[in-house]
Amino acid sequence: SQQGEEDPQALSIQEGENATMNCSYKTSINNLQWYRQNSGRGLVHLILIRSNEREKHSGRLRVTLDTSKKSSSLLITASRAADTASYFCAMVNTGGFKTIFGAGTRLFVKA
Amino acid sequence: DVKVTQSSRYLVKRTGEKVFLECVQDMDHENMFWYRQDPGLGLRLIYFSYDVKMKEKGDIPEGYSVSREKKERFSLILESASTNQTSMYLCASSLWARGQRDSGANVLTFGAGSRLTVL
């Protein structure tokens, strides 16, 4: 069963704007991760946030986690055309290493 | 860099055929995973393995089996392919050992994917 839901399903913005993607999940997690997928390729890990962390930064990426609301968001600042891809949140269950993915957000950045 | 290699990028098979999808990783990772990806459904976990000869069912194991005879290789088997198994199949591996408390190790490295079409 899918444990993660993402919104929006698709997002189209202009280069230079910020992009925000949201993820909600149903069960307790050990950590939450975000991955990126270029069309027709495998996924690439972007950032991991542990269940006891609230915010994390990596370059132009900012991730927040609210375990009380079982939600996370990924913010990409100053987006570029090269950021065009699908973005997935992934939840790792507590007590295990099973990783479950959300359905993804397709981001299109117009030059 | 960790590399996960999937043997075939594109396959076309007929209904009822037996299909093998091979995945090899070169960084001594303990854990390996098979997902399928379908539009609107994201990635769904089929099977995973945390050690040689060990396997556990994911969320959608029906119609699939797996084999892990060597640490670096994890095979997905479709005993009798059906049209509803047409999909993109993604293999991944990770370092997190069973019982290890450091969640930072459990980052998945994916292969490029195998797109299977069953006619």
Side-chain angles (χ1 to χ4, degrees), chain A residues 1-2 30-31 33 35 37 40-42 45 50 88 92 96-100, chain B residues 9 35 37 43-45 48 50 59 96 102-104 106-108 110-112:
Chain A
S1 60
Q2 286 299 119
N30 186 304
N31 67 74
Q33 302 170 32
Y35 289 78
Q37 183 182 37
R41 307 298 295 182
H45 178 259
R50 292 176 170 79
F88 294 86
V92 180
F97 48 90
K98 184 176 172 181
T99 304
I100 301 297
Chain B
R9 285 284 285 139
Y35 291 87
Q37 182 177 20
L43 280 74
R44 292 180 290 168
L45 182 62
F48 61 102
Y50 52 86
D59 295 318
W96 192 3
D102 176 13
S103 63
N106 191 38
V107 169
L108 298 182
F110 280 86

PDB file of all heavy atoms in Angstrom, chain A residues 1-2 30-31 33 35 37 40-42 45 50 88 92 96-100, chain B residues 9 35 37 43-45 48 50 59 96 102-104 106-108 110-112:
ATOM      1  N   SER A   1       0.849  -1.187   0.000  1.00  0.00           N
ATOM      2  CA  SER A   1       0.000   0.000   0.000  1.00  0.00           C
ATOM      3  C   SER A   1       0.884   1.236   0.000  1.00  0.00           C
ATOM      4  O   SER A   1       1.946   1.258   0.623  1.00  0.00           O
ATOM      5  CB  SER A   1      -0.880   0.016   1.235  1.00  0.00           C
ATOM      6  OG  SER A   1      -0.092   0.033   2.381  1.00  0.00           O
ATOM      7  N   GLN A   2       0.458   2.258  -0.725  1.00  0.00           N
ATOM      8  CA  GLN A   2       1.210   3.498  -0.765  1.00  0.00           C
ATOM      9  C   GLN A   2       1.092   4.184   0.575  1.00  0.00           C
ATOM     10  O   GLN A   2       0.010   4.371   1.093  1.00  0.00           O
ATOM     11  CB  GLN A   2       0.667   4.425  -1.855  1.00  0.00           C
ATOM     12  CG  GLN A   2       1.040   3.996  -3.262  1.00  0.00           C
ATOM     13  CD  GLN A   2       2.558   3.983  -3.490  1.00  0.00           C
ATOM     14  OE1 GLN A   2       3.124   2.957  -3.783  1.00  0.00           O
ATOM     15  NE2 GLN A   2       3.200   5.108  -3.322  1.00  0.00           N
ATOM     16  N   ASN A  30      11.255   6.382  10.332  1.00  0.00           N
ATOM     17  CA  ASN A  30      12.597   6.532  10.863  1.00  0.00           C
ATOM     18  C   ASN A  30      13.253   7.762  10.241  1.00  0.00           C
ATOM     19  O   ASN A  30      13.902   8.559  10.928  1.00  0.00           O
ATOM     20  CB  ASN A  30      13.399   5.275  10.544  1.00  0.00           C
ATOM     21  CG  ASN A  30      14.761   5.271  11.190  1.00  0.00           C
ATOM     22  OD1 ASN A  30      15.550   6.194  10.983  1.00  0.00           O
ATOM     23  ND2 ASN A  30      15.046   4.252  11.965  1.00  0.00           N
ATOM     24  N   ASN A  31      13.097   7.897   8.934  1.00  0.00           N
ATOM     25  CA  ASN A  31      13.569   9.089   8.240  1.00  0.00           C
ATOM     26  C   ASN A  31      12.767   9.258   6.960  1.00  0.00           C
ATOM     27  O   ASN A  31      12.039   8.354   6.538  1.00  0.00           O
ATOM     28  CB  ASN A  31      15.080   9.017   7.948  1.00  0.00           C
ATOM     29  CG  ASN A  31      15.428   7.937   6.947  1.00  0.00           C
ATOM     30  OD1 ASN A  31      15.181   8.077   5.757  1.00  0.00           O
ATOM     31  ND2 ASN A  31      16.023   6.842   7.434  1.00  0.00           N
ATOM     32  N   GLN A  33      13.111  10.830   2.914  1.00  0.00           N
ATOM     33  CA  GLN A  33      14.087  11.232   1.907  1.00  0.00           C
ATOM     34  C   GLN A  33      13.366  11.804   0.687  1.00  0.00           C
ATOM     35  O   GLN A  33      12.194  11.498   0.446  1.00  0.00           O
ATOM     36  CB  GLN A  33      14.930  10.012   1.492  1.00  0.00           C
ATOM     37  CG  GLN A  33      15.656   9.355   2.655  1.00  0.00           C
ATOM     38  CD  GLN A  33      16.268   8.028   2.273  1.00  0.00           C
ATOM     39  OE1 GLN A  33      16.689   7.828   1.140  1.00  0.00           O
ATOM     40  NE2 GLN A  33      16.339   7.112   3.226  1.00  0.00           N
ATOM     41  N   TYR A  35      13.914  12.213  -3.546  1.00  0.00           N
ATOM     42  CA  TYR A  35      14.657  11.746  -4.713  1.00  0.00           C
ATOM     43  C   TYR A  35      14.179  12.510  -5.946  1.00  0.00           C
ATOM     44  O   TYR A  35      13.040  12.991  -5.998  1.00  0.00           O
ATOM     45  CB  TYR A  35      14.420  10.247  -4.942  1.00  0.00           C
ATOM     46  CG  TYR A  35      15.069   9.341  -3.934  1.00  0.00           C
ATOM     47  CD1 TYR A  35      14.505   9.154  -2.676  1.00  0.00           C
ATOM     48  CD2 TYR A  35      16.236   8.655  -4.233  1.00  0.00           C
ATOM     49  CE1 TYR A  35      15.101   8.308  -1.740  1.00  0.00           C
ATOM     50  CE2 TYR A  35      16.834   7.799  -3.318  1.00  0.00           C
ATOM     51  CZ  TYR A  35      16.255   7.637  -2.078  1.00  0.00           C
ATOM     52  OH  TYR A  35      16.846   6.799  -1.168  1.00  0.00           O
ATOM     53  N   GLN A  37      14.000  12.253 -10.313  1.00  0.00           N
ATOM     54  CA  GLN A  37      14.059  11.332 -11.444  1.00  0.00           C
ATOM     55  C   GLN A  37      13.926  12.122 -12.740  1.00  0.00           C
ATOM     56  O   GLN A  37      12.892  12.763 -12.961  1.00  0.00           O
ATOM     57  CB  GLN A  37      12.957  10.272 -11.368  1.00  0.00           C
ATOM     58  CG  GLN A  37      13.019   9.253 -12.493  1.00  0.00           C
ATOM     59  CD  GLN A  37      11.888   8.249 -12.425  1.00  0.00           C
ATOM     60  OE1 GLN A  37      10.766   8.595 -12.070  1.00  0.00           O
ATOM     61  NE2 GLN A  37      12.169   6.991 -12.769  1.00  0.00           N
ATOM     62  N   GLY A  40      12.481   8.858 -17.713  1.00  0.00           N
ATOM     63  CA  GLY A  40      12.920   7.554 -18.178  1.00  0.00           C
ATOM     64  C   GLY A  40      14.161   7.005 -17.526  1.00  0.00           C
ATOM     65  O   GLY A  40      14.722   6.012 -18.002  1.00  0.00           O
ATOM     66  N   ARG A  41      14.592   7.614 -16.438  1.00  0.00           N
ATOM     67  CA  ARG A  41      15.830   7.156 -15.781  1.00  0.00           C
ATOM     68  C   ARG A  41      15.543   6.697 -14.356  1.00  0.00           C
ATOM     69  O   ARG A  41      14.417   6.757 -13.877  1.00  0.00           O
ATOM     70  CB  ARG A  41      16.856   8.295 -15.752  1.00  0.00           C
ATOM     71  CG  ARG A  41      17.127   8.934 -17.075  1.00  0.00           C
ATOM     72  CD  ARG A  41      17.720   7.965 -18.072  1.00  0.00           C
ATOM     73  NE  ARG A  41      19.041   7.504 -17.670  1.00  0.00           N
ATOM     74  CZ  ARG A  41      19.776   6.664 -18.408  1.00  0.00           C
ATOM     75  NH1 ARG A  41      19.310   6.196 -19.544  1.00  0.00           N
ATOM     76  NH2 ARG A  41      20.965   6.292 -17.992  1.00  0.00           N
ATOM     77  N   GLY A  42      16.593   6.231 -13.670  1.00  0.00           N
ATOM     78  CA  GLY A  42      16.456   5.859 -12.273  1.00  0.00           C
ATOM     79  C   GLY A  42      16.396   7.083 -11.376  1.00  0.00           C
ATOM     80  O   GLY A  42      16.567   8.208 -11.825  1.00  0.00           O
ATOM     81  N   HIS A  45      19.166  10.196  -5.202  1.00  0.00           N
ATOM     82  CA  HIS A  45      18.912  10.711  -3.861  1.00  0.00           C
ATOM     83  C   HIS A  45      19.322  12.181  -3.763  1.00  0.00           C
ATOM     84  O   HIS A  45      20.398  12.575  -4.234  1.00  0.00           O
ATOM     85  CB  HIS A  45      19.698   9.888  -2.838  1.00  0.00           C
ATOM     86  CG  HIS A  45      19.535  10.369  -1.431  1.00  0.00           C
ATOM     87  ND1 HIS A  45      20.478  11.140  -0.793  1.00  0.00           N
ATOM     88  CD2 HIS A  45      18.534  10.192  -0.552  1.00  0.00           C
ATOM     89  CE1 HIS A  45      20.062  11.404   0.421  1.00  0.00           C
ATOM     90  NE2 HIS A  45      18.891  10.842   0.598  1.00  0.00           N
ATOM     91  N   ARG A  50      16.014  13.155   9.248  1.00  0.00           N
ATOM     92  CA  ARG A  50      15.675  12.166  10.261  1.00  0.00           C
ATOM     93  C   ARG A  50      14.422  12.579  11.012  1.00  0.00           C
ATOM     94  O   ARG A  50      14.049  13.753  11.030  1.00  0.00           O
ATOM     95  CB  ARG A  50      16.843  11.989  11.229  1.00  0.00           C
ATOM     96  CG  ARG A  50      18.061  11.339  10.606  1.00  0.00           C
ATOM     97  CD  ARG A  50      19.237  11.275  11.563  1.00  0.00           C
ATOM     98  NE  ARG A  50      20.335  10.467  11.072  1.00  0.00           N
ATOM     99  CZ  ARG A  50      21.226  10.863  10.173  1.00  0.00           C
ATOM    100  NH1 ARG A  50      21.155  12.056   9.659  1.00  0.00           N
ATOM    101  NH2 ARG A  50      22.193  10.042   9.790  1.00  0.00           N
ATOM    102  N   PHE A  88      10.255  12.739  -5.768  1.00  0.00           N
ATOM    103  CA  PHE A  88       9.551  11.767  -4.948  1.00  0.00           C
ATOM    104  C   PHE A  88       9.991  11.866  -3.500  1.00  0.00           C
ATOM    105  O   PHE A  88      11.198  11.988  -3.227  1.00  0.00           O
ATOM    106  CB  PHE A  88       9.860  10.336  -5.424  1.00  0.00           C
ATOM    107  CG  PHE A  88       9.343  10.017  -6.786  1.00  0.00           C
ATOM    108  CD1 PHE A  88      10.086  10.329  -7.920  1.00  0.00           C
ATOM    109  CD2 PHE A  88       8.114   9.393  -6.947  1.00  0.00           C
ATOM    110  CE1 PHE A  88       9.613  10.026  -9.184  1.00  0.00           C
ATOM    111  CE2 PHE A  88       7.634   9.087  -8.210  1.00  0.00           C
ATOM    112  CZ  PHE A  88       8.381   9.405  -9.330  1.00  0.00           C
ATOM    113  N   VAL A  92      11.079   5.796   5.252  1.00  0.00           N
ATOM    114  CA  VAL A  92      11.670   4.574   5.795  1.00  0.00           C
ATOM    115  C   VAL A  92      10.967   4.247   7.095  1.00  0.00           C
ATOM    116  O   VAL A  92      10.930   5.074   8.012  1.00  0.00           O
ATOM    117  CB  VAL A  92      13.176   4.739   6.039  1.00  0.00           C
ATOM    118  CG1 VAL A  92      13.773   3.454   6.614  1.00  0.00           C
ATOM    119  CG2 VAL A  92      13.883   5.125   4.744  1.00  0.00           C
ATOM    120  N   GLY A  96      12.780  -0.694  10.630  1.00  0.00           N
ATOM    121  CA  GLY A  96      13.122  -1.443   9.427  1.00  0.00           C
ATOM    122  C   GLY A  96      13.828  -0.589   8.414  1.00  0.00           C
ATOM    123  O   GLY A  96      14.195   0.543   8.687  1.00  0.00           O
ATOM    124  N   PHE A  97      14.018  -1.129   7.250  1.00  0.00           N
ATOM    125  CA  PHE A  97      14.659  -0.371   6.195  1.00  0.00           C
ATOM    126  C   PHE A  97      13.847  -0.424   4.921  1.00  0.00           C
ATOM    127  O   PHE A  97      14.320  -0.093   3.852  1.00  0.00           O
ATOM    128  CB  PHE A  97      16.076  -0.900   5.956  1.00  0.00           C
ATOM    129  CG  PHE A  97      16.137  -2.393   5.827  1.00  0.00           C
ATOM    130  CD1 PHE A  97      15.997  -2.997   4.602  1.00  0.00           C
ATOM    131  CD2 PHE A  97      16.326  -3.176   6.942  1.00  0.00           C
ATOM    132  CE1 PHE A  97      16.054  -4.367   4.481  1.00  0.00           C
ATOM    133  CE2 PHE A  97      16.368  -4.553   6.840  1.00  0.00           C
ATOM    134  CZ  PHE A  97      16.244  -5.155   5.594  1.00  0.00           C
ATOM    135  N   LYS A  98      12.590  -0.822   5.067  1.00  0.00           N
ATOM    136  CA  LYS A  98      11.691  -0.825   3.924  1.00  0.00           C
ATOM    137  C   LYS A  98      11.404   0.617   3.553  1.00  0.00           C
ATOM    138  O   LYS A  98      11.023   1.431   4.399  1.00  0.00           O
ATOM    139  CB  LYS A  98      10.413  -1.547   4.328  1.00  0.00           C
ATOM    140  CG  LYS A  98       9.418  -1.730   3.227  1.00  0.00           C
ATOM    141  CD  LYS A  98       8.255  -2.557   3.789  1.00  0.00           C
ATOM    142  CE  LYS A  98       7.124  -2.624   2.810  1.00  0.00           C
ATOM    143  NZ  LYS A  98       5.986  -3.392   3.344  1.00  0.00           N
ATOM    144  N   THR A  99      11.595   0.964   2.309  1.00  0.00           N
ATOM    145  CA  THR A  99      11.420   2.334   1.843  1.00  0.00           C
ATOM    146  C   THR A  99      10.231   2.398   0.907  1.00  0.00           C
ATOM    147  O   THR A  99      10.191   1.675  -0.092  1.00  0.00           O
ATOM    148  CB  THR A  99      12.688   2.821   1.124  1.00  0.00           C
ATOM    149  OG1 THR A  99      13.810   2.681   2.001  1.00  0.00           O
ATOM    150  CG2 THR A  99      12.551   4.282   0.729  1.00  0.00           C
ATOM    151  N   ILE A 100       9.289   3.260   1.253  1.00  0.00           N
ATOM    152  CA  ILE A 100       8.056   3.383   0.477  1.00  0.00           C
ATOM    153  C   ILE A 100       8.006   4.784  -0.124  1.00  0.00           C
ATOM    154  O   ILE A 100       8.275   5.768   0.562  1.00  0.00           O
ATOM    155  CB  ILE A 100       6.827   3.163   1.377  1.00  0.00           C
ATOM    156  CG1 ILE A 100       6.881   1.772   2.011  1.00  0.00           C
ATOM    157  CG2 ILE A 100       5.542   3.338   0.576  1.00  0.00           C
ATOM    158  CD1 ILE A 100       6.825   0.638   1.028  1.00  0.00           C
TER     159      ILE A 100
ATOM    160  N   ARG B   9      17.741  -2.419 -20.716  1.00  0.00           N
ATOM    161  CA  ARG B   9      16.981  -1.168 -20.624  1.00  0.00           C
ATOM    162  C   ARG B   9      15.568  -1.342 -21.154  1.00  0.00           C
ATOM    163  O   ARG B   9      14.628  -0.763 -20.639  1.00  0.00           O
ATOM    164  CB  ARG B   9      17.699  -0.073 -21.401  1.00  0.00           C
ATOM    165  CG  ARG B   9      18.921   0.470 -20.716  1.00  0.00           C
ATOM    166  CD  ARG B   9      18.545   1.414 -19.566  1.00  0.00           C
ATOM    167  NE  ARG B   9      18.098   2.699 -20.080  1.00  0.00           N
ATOM    168  CZ  ARG B   9      17.065   3.364 -19.571  1.00  0.00           C
ATOM    169  NH1 ARG B   9      16.356   2.859 -18.585  1.00  0.00           N
ATOM    170  NH2 ARG B   9      16.730   4.529 -20.067  1.00  0.00           N
ATOM    171  N   TYR B  35      11.531  -2.434  -7.421  1.00  0.00           N
ATOM    172  CA  TYR B  35      10.304  -1.655  -7.484  1.00  0.00           C
ATOM    173  C   TYR B  35       9.764  -1.709  -8.906  1.00  0.00           C
ATOM    174  O   TYR B  35      10.508  -1.875  -9.863  1.00  0.00           O
ATOM    175  CB  TYR B  35      10.586  -0.177  -7.157  1.00  0.00           C
ATOM    176  CG  TYR B  35      10.961   0.120  -5.730  1.00  0.00           C
ATOM    177  CD1 TYR B  35      12.291   0.039  -5.311  1.00  0.00           C
ATOM    178  CD2 TYR B  35      10.007   0.511  -4.799  1.00  0.00           C
ATOM    179  CE1 TYR B  35      12.649   0.339  -4.002  1.00  0.00           C
ATOM    180  CE2 TYR B  35      10.364   0.812  -3.483  1.00  0.00           C
ATOM    181  CZ  TYR B  35      11.682   0.721  -3.105  1.00  0.00           C
ATOM    182  OH  TYR B  35      12.035   1.014  -1.808  1.00  0.00           O
ATOM    183  N   GLN B  37       7.381   0.890 -11.396  1.00  0.00           N
ATOM    184  CA  GLN B  37       6.900   2.263 -11.451  1.00  0.00           C
ATOM    185  C   GLN B  37       5.881   2.378 -12.565  1.00  0.00           C
ATOM    186  O   GLN B  37       6.154   2.053 -13.726  1.00  0.00           O
ATOM    187  CB  GLN B  37       8.057   3.235 -11.717  1.00  0.00           C
ATOM    188  CG  GLN B  37       7.624   4.685 -11.741  1.00  0.00           C
ATOM    189  CD  GLN B  37       8.785   5.639 -11.938  1.00  0.00           C
ATOM    190  OE1 GLN B  37       9.854   5.258 -12.406  1.00  0.00           O
ATOM    191  NE2 GLN B  37       8.594   6.890 -11.552  1.00  0.00           N
ATOM    192  N   LEU B  43       6.379   4.574  -7.163  1.00  0.00           N
ATOM    193  CA  LEU B  43       7.134   3.330  -7.084  1.00  0.00           C
ATOM    194  C   LEU B  43       6.482   2.410  -6.064  1.00  0.00           C
ATOM    195  O   LEU B  43       6.173   2.837  -4.945  1.00  0.00           O
ATOM    196  CB  LEU B  43       8.576   3.601  -6.647  1.00  0.00           C
ATOM    197  CG  LEU B  43       9.543   4.089  -7.699  1.00  0.00           C
ATOM    198  CD1 LEU B  43       9.284   5.538  -8.067  1.00  0.00           C
ATOM    199  CD2 LEU B  43      10.980   3.922  -7.223  1.00  0.00           C
ATOM    200  N   ARG B  44       6.301   1.176  -6.435  1.00  0.00           N
ATOM    201  CA  ARG B  44       5.747   0.189  -5.509  1.00  0.00           C
ATOM    202  C   ARG B  44       6.758  -0.929  -5.306  1.00  0.00           C
ATOM    203  O   ARG B  44       7.316  -1.452  -6.273  1.00  0.00           O
ATOM    204  CB  ARG B  44       4.427  -0.362  -6.054  1.00  0.00           C
ATOM    205  CG  ARG B  44       3.302   0.671  -6.064  1.00  0.00           C
ATOM    206  CD  ARG B  44       2.018   0.087  -6.617  1.00  0.00           C
ATOM    207  NE  ARG B  44       2.119  -0.177  -8.046  1.00  0.00           N
ATOM    208  CZ  ARG B  44       1.234  -0.891  -8.728  1.00  0.00           C
ATOM    209  NH1 ARG B  44       0.194  -1.436  -8.117  1.00  0.00           N
ATOM    210  NH2 ARG B  44       1.390  -1.071 -10.027  1.00  0.00           N
ATOM    211  N   LEU B  45       6.958  -1.297  -4.056  1.00  0.00           N
ATOM    212  CA  LEU B  45       7.978  -2.272  -3.700  1.00  0.00           C
ATOM    213  C   LEU B  45       7.487  -3.684  -3.968  1.00  0.00           C
ATOM    214  O   LEU B  45       6.437  -4.095  -3.474  1.00  0.00           O
ATOM    215  CB  LEU B  45       8.350  -2.098  -2.223  1.00  0.00           C
ATOM    216  CG  LEU B  45       9.441  -2.986  -1.674  1.00  0.00           C
ATOM    217  CD1 LEU B  45      10.767  -2.759  -2.384  1.00  0.00           C
ATOM    218  CD2 LEU B  45       9.600  -2.739  -0.175  1.00  0.00           C
ATOM    219  N   PHE B  48      12.367  -7.250  -1.483  1.00  0.00           N
ATOM    220  CA  PHE B  48      13.685  -6.769  -1.114  1.00  0.00           C
ATOM    221  C   PHE B  48      14.461  -7.868  -0.411  1.00  0.00           C
ATOM    222  O   PHE B  48      13.881  -8.887   0.010  1.00  0.00           O
ATOM    223  CB  PHE B  48      13.616  -5.488  -0.277  1.00  0.00           C
ATOM    224  CG  PHE B  48      12.891  -5.616   1.042  1.00  0.00           C
ATOM    225  CD1 PHE B  48      13.595  -5.721   2.222  1.00  0.00           C
ATOM    226  CD2 PHE B  48      11.510  -5.561   1.098  1.00  0.00           C
ATOM    227  CE1 PHE B  48      12.933  -5.801   3.442  1.00  0.00           C
ATOM    228  CE2 PHE B  48      10.840  -5.638   2.305  1.00  0.00           C
ATOM    229  CZ  PHE B  48      11.545  -5.759   3.476  1.00  0.00           C
ATOM    230  N   TYR B  50      17.887  -8.421   2.342  1.00  0.00           N
ATOM    231  CA  TYR B  50      18.847  -7.777   3.232  1.00  0.00           C
ATOM    232  C   TYR B  50      20.104  -8.626   3.421  1.00  0.00           C
ATOM    233  O   TYR B  50      20.991  -8.269   4.181  1.00  0.00           O
ATOM    234  CB  TYR B  50      18.217  -7.461   4.589  1.00  0.00           C
ATOM    235  CG  TYR B  50      17.537  -8.627   5.246  1.00  0.00           C
ATOM    236  CD1 TYR B  50      18.258  -9.522   6.026  1.00  0.00           C
ATOM    237  CD2 TYR B  50      16.178  -8.847   5.071  1.00  0.00           C
ATOM    238  CE1 TYR B  50      17.644 -10.596   6.621  1.00  0.00           C
ATOM    239  CE2 TYR B  50      15.548  -9.928   5.660  1.00  0.00           C
ATOM    240  CZ  TYR B  50      16.284 -10.801   6.428  1.00  0.00           C
ATOM    241  OH  TYR B  50      15.675 -11.865   7.016  1.00  0.00           O
ATOM    242  N   ASP B  59       5.115  -4.779  -1.186  1.00  0.00           N
ATOM    243  CA  ASP B  59       3.674  -4.524  -1.216  1.00  0.00           C
ATOM    244  C   ASP B  59       2.946  -5.245  -2.345  1.00  0.00           C
ATOM    245  O   ASP B  59       1.750  -5.487  -2.251  1.00  0.00           O
ATOM    246  CB  ASP B  59       3.425  -3.009  -1.333  1.00  0.00           C
ATOM    247  CG  ASP B  59       3.922  -2.275  -0.107  1.00  0.00           C
ATOM    248  OD1 ASP B  59       3.708  -2.788   1.007  1.00  0.00           O
ATOM    249  OD2 ASP B  59       4.530  -1.196  -0.259  1.00  0.00           O
ATOM    250  N   TRP B  96      22.304   0.039   4.643  1.00  0.00           N
ATOM    251  CA  TRP B  96      21.810  -0.124   6.004  1.00  0.00           C
ATOM    252  C   TRP B  96      21.660  -1.583   6.364  1.00  0.00           C
ATOM    253  O   TRP B  96      20.859  -2.304   5.806  1.00  0.00           O
ATOM    254  CB  TRP B  96      20.474   0.573   6.156  1.00  0.00           C
ATOM    255  CG  TRP B  96      20.004   0.720   7.566  1.00  0.00           C
ATOM    256  CD1 TRP B  96      20.658   0.366   8.697  1.00  0.00           C
ATOM    257  CD2 TRP B  96      18.769   1.279   7.983  1.00  0.00           C
ATOM    258  NE1 TRP B  96      19.907   0.680   9.791  1.00  0.00           N
ATOM    259  CE2 TRP B  96      18.746   1.240   9.394  1.00  0.00           C
ATOM    260  CE3 TRP B  96      17.670   1.822   7.307  1.00  0.00           C
ATOM    261  CZ2 TRP B  96      17.676   1.716  10.128  1.00  0.00           C
ATOM    262  CZ3 TRP B  96      16.605   2.285   8.044  1.00  0.00           C
ATOM    263  CH2 TRP B  96      16.615   2.228   9.437  1.00  0.00           C
ATOM    264  N   ASP B 102      21.663   3.532  12.782  1.00  0.00           N
ATOM    265  CA  ASP B 102      21.975   4.771  12.082  1.00  0.00           C
ATOM    266  C   ASP B 102      21.173   4.847  10.796  1.00  0.00           C
ATOM    267  O   ASP B 102      21.479   4.186   9.820  1.00  0.00           O
ATOM    268  CB  ASP B 102      23.469   4.838  11.764  1.00  0.00           C
ATOM    269  CG  ASP B 102      23.815   6.073  10.959  1.00  0.00           C
ATOM    270  OD1 ASP B 102      22.958   6.983  10.855  1.00  0.00           O
ATOM    271  OD2 ASP B 102      24.933   6.142  10.430  1.00  0.00           O
ATOM    272  N   SER B 103      20.135   5.660  10.825  1.00  0.00           N
ATOM    273  CA  SER B 103      19.271   5.726   9.651  1.00  0.00           C
ATOM    274  C   SER B 103      19.937   6.429   8.490  1.00  0.00           C
ATOM    275  O   SER B 103      19.452   6.373   7.383  1.00  0.00           O
ATOM    276  CB  SER B 103      17.973   6.457  10.007  1.00  0.00           C
ATOM    277  OG  SER B 103      18.249   7.786  10.383  1.00  0.00           O
ATOM    278  N   GLY B 104      21.043   7.100   8.748  1.00  0.00           N
ATOM    279  CA  GLY B 104      21.699   7.824   7.663  1.00  0.00           C
ATOM    280  C   GLY B 104      22.251   6.930   6.585  1.00  0.00           C
ATOM    281  O   GLY B 104      22.525   7.372   5.493  1.00  0.00           O
ATOM    282  N   ASN B 106      20.707   4.450   5.184  1.00  0.00           N
ATOM    283  CA  ASN B 106      19.715   3.840   4.310  1.00  0.00           C
ATOM    284  C   ASN B 106      19.315   4.750   3.167  1.00  0.00           C
ATOM    285  O   ASN B 106      18.181   5.185   3.052  1.00  0.00           O
ATOM    286  CB  ASN B 106      18.477   3.454   5.120  1.00  0.00           C
ATOM    287  CG  ASN B 106      17.554   2.586   4.300  1.00  0.00           C
ATOM    288  OD1 ASN B 106      18.000   1.746   3.542  1.00  0.00           O
ATOM    289  ND2 ASN B 106      16.263   2.805   4.433  1.00  0.00           N
ATOM    290  N   VAL B 107      20.266   5.044   2.314  1.00  0.00           N
ATOM    291  CA  VAL B 107      20.001   5.823   1.112  1.00  0.00           C
ATOM    292  C   VAL B 107      20.056   4.864  -0.071  1.00  0.00           C
ATOM    293  O   VAL B 107      20.993   4.090  -0.211  1.00  0.00           O
ATOM    294  CB  VAL B 107      21.063   6.929   0.948  1.00  0.00           C
ATOM    295  CG1 VAL B 107      20.959   7.570  -0.422  1.00  0.00           C
ATOM    296  CG2 VAL B 107      20.902   7.971   2.049  1.00  0.00           C
ATOM    297  N   LEU B 108      19.050   4.905  -0.903  1.00  0.00           N
ATOM    298  CA  LEU B 108      18.966   3.989  -2.032  1.00  0.00           C
ATOM    299  C   LEU B 108      19.728   4.536  -3.234  1.00  0.00           C
ATOM    300  O   LEU B 108      19.609   5.719  -3.567  1.00  0.00           O
ATOM    301  CB  LEU B 108      17.507   3.763  -2.427  1.00  0.00           C
ATOM    302  CG  LEU B 108      16.596   3.136  -1.383  1.00  0.00           C
ATOM    303  CD1 LEU B 108      15.204   2.941  -1.947  1.00  0.00           C
ATOM    304  CD2 LEU B 108      17.153   1.819  -0.896  1.00  0.00           C
ATOM    305  N   PHE B 110      19.871   3.794  -7.222  1.00  0.00           N
ATOM    306  CA  PHE B 110      19.041   3.134  -8.212  1.00  0.00           C
ATOM    307  C   PHE B 110      19.811   2.837  -9.486  1.00  0.00           C
ATOM    308  O   PHE B 110      20.736   3.559  -9.874  1.00  0.00           O
ATOM    309  CB  PHE B 110      17.851   4.023  -8.585  1.00  0.00           C
ATOM    310  CG  PHE B 110      16.733   3.967  -7.595  1.00  0.00           C
ATOM    311  CD1 PHE B 110      16.737   4.793  -6.478  1.00  0.00           C
ATOM    312  CD2 PHE B 110      15.667   3.100  -7.774  1.00  0.00           C
ATOM    313  CE1 PHE B 110      15.708   4.748  -5.562  1.00  0.00           C
ATOM    314  CE2 PHE B 110      14.632   3.047  -6.855  1.00  0.00           C
ATOM    315  CZ  PHE B 110      14.647   3.859  -5.751  1.00  0.00           C
ATOM    316  N   GLY B 111      19.375   1.770 -10.167  1.00  0.00           N
ATOM    317  CA  GLY B 111      19.796   1.547 -11.534  1.00  0.00           C
ATOM    318  C   GLY B 111      18.990   2.426 -12.473  1.00  0.00           C
ATOM    319  O   GLY B 111      18.077   3.153 -12.054  1.00  0.00           O
ATOM    320  N   ALA B 112      19.300   2.332 -13.767  1.00  0.00           N
ATOM    321  CA  ALA B 112      18.655   3.188 -14.766  1.00  0.00           C
ATOM    322  C   ALA B 112      17.255   2.721 -15.126  1.00  0.00           C
ATOM    323  O   ALA B 112      16.509   3.460 -15.764  1.00  0.00           O
ATOM    324  CB  ALA B 112      19.517   3.258 -16.029  1.00  0.00           C
TER     325      ALA B 112
END
